[in-house]
Amino acid sequence: MKMADEVILLDFWPSMFGMRVRIALAEKGIKYEYKEQDIFNKSPLLLEMNPIHKKIPVLIHNGKPVYEVWNDKSPLLPSDPYQRAHARFWADFVDKKVYDVSTKLLTTKGEELEVGKKEFFEIYKILEGELGDKPYFGGETFGFVDLSLITFYSWFHVYEVFGNINIEAECPKIIAWAKRCLQKETLANSLTDQKKVYEDVLRRKRSLE
């Protein structure tokens, strides 16, 4: 994308998937217009640009939806084919496993919640093993897997309160990694504050009671 091109992002501020796009755009230095969406009352533009899934985020480039913010030439993906495939594998792991175990902490109670907590930490300990002693998942620089996982950090306070857990006590490497990521200005400016996400989730839960 050229800087002069028109880029619009349709997004919902607490979305971990939307935050990924915001970080990727910031990392690439791409200017864009942000249009906040009500995911419970979807706009005609959102329905037009994403008629099948009807979900955010949607990136619009010169009037057309873009489904991949990054490509194989992106600095977020390794240039080596094996390393690139490895990064995509772990990003897929985050999308499927991390998302599923995180959702359980918010939607279950009692014995099911206890099982959910156990699964949550099992998944994060697998990720700690993959991270090892490296600063970032890909090595010395922030990359594709880091981008996939770091946006969940904005939801950690929500998970801790509703799941009655302490993530740092169980997975200190993950918290240290997250804090390292947040030293990057592009991330610090793109991630939503944990307390703000918690207050929004609490407000929505109360409105359903």
Side-chain angles (χ1 to χ4, degrees):
M1 290 182 210
K2 296 193 284 283
M3 295 288 281
D5 291 349
E6 183 190 48
V7 180
I8 298 168
L9 176 61
L10 308 183
D11 198 5
F12 177 52
W13 65 267
S15 168
M16 55 194 70
F17 302 106
M19 281 183 251
R20 286 181 186 176
V21 180
R22 282 174 252 159
I23 293 167
L25 291 169
E27 285 284 296
K28 287 169 169 280
I30 295 171
K31 306 286 185 190
Y32 62 95
E33 180 184 353
Y34 181 92
K35 290 190 177 181
E36 179 72 14
Q37 300 295 299
D38 180 350
I39 59 170
F40 305 102
N41 184 21
K42 294 168 183 178
S43 70
L45 182 59
L46 174 59
L47 296 174
E48 178 192 345
M49 291 296 159
N50 193 2
I52 306 299
H53 300 293
K54 303 181 177 66
K55 292 180 179 178
I56 53 88
V58 179
L59 192 65
I60 305 168
H61 178 224
N62 289 338
K64 293 180 181 177
V66 178
Y67 298 106
E68 284 282 330
V69 181
W70 39 81
N71 53 39
D72 285 352
K73 292 179 182 175
S74 166
L76 293 168
L77 274 164
S79 56
D80 176 77
Y82 171 78
Q83 290 178 350
R84 192 161 62 237
H86 187 79
R88 286 191 180 279
F89 169 85
W90 283 104
D92 188 59
F93 179 89
V94 170
D95 277 355
K96 290 175 180 163
K97 299 290 188 182
V98 175
Y99 184 77
D100 284 351
V101 294
S102 301
T103 304
K104 279 187 182 178
L105 296 185
L106 306 182
T107 57
T108 60
K109 290 180 179 177
E111 195 176 320
E112 202 177 342
L113 175 58
E114 292 306 311
V115 172
K117 290 184 199 181
K118 186 169 175 285
E119 290 176 352
F120 181 89
F121 286 122
E122 281 173 356
I123 292 300
Y124 272 94
K125 285 183 186 299
I126 289 170
L127 286 165
E128 282 196 322
E130 170 59 19
L131 179 63
D133 295 323
K134 305 187 298 288
Y136 300 100
F137 281 92
E140 294 299 315
T141 56
F142 180 86
F144 194 61
V145 183
D146 303 289
L147 173 67
S148 300
L149 184 60
I150 191 58
T151 58
F152 283 86
Y153 183 69
S154 289
W155 285 74
F156 273 17
H157 184 61
V158 172
Y159 303 150
E160 289 188 320
V161 173
F162 287 99
N164 191 25
I165 58 173
N166 184 328
I167 298 173
E168 187 165 20
E170 296 285 338
C171 299
K173 270 191 179 181
I174 289 292
I175 299 298
W177 159 83
K179 289 177 177 175
R180 193 177 305 120
C181 289
L182 282 168
Q183 290 172 6
K184 287 176 66 68
E185 192 177 341
T186 48
L187 271 80
N189 294 338
S190 302
L191 284 182
T192 303
D193 180 72
Q194 289 188 2
K195 296 289 173 65
K196 191 179 174 188
V197 174
Y198 170 71
E199 286 163 9
D200 184 68
V201 171
L202 195 62
R203 180 176 59 81
R204 291 183 191 283
K205 274 185 171 285
R206 282 173 177 165
S207 70
L208 295 172
E209 290 173 356

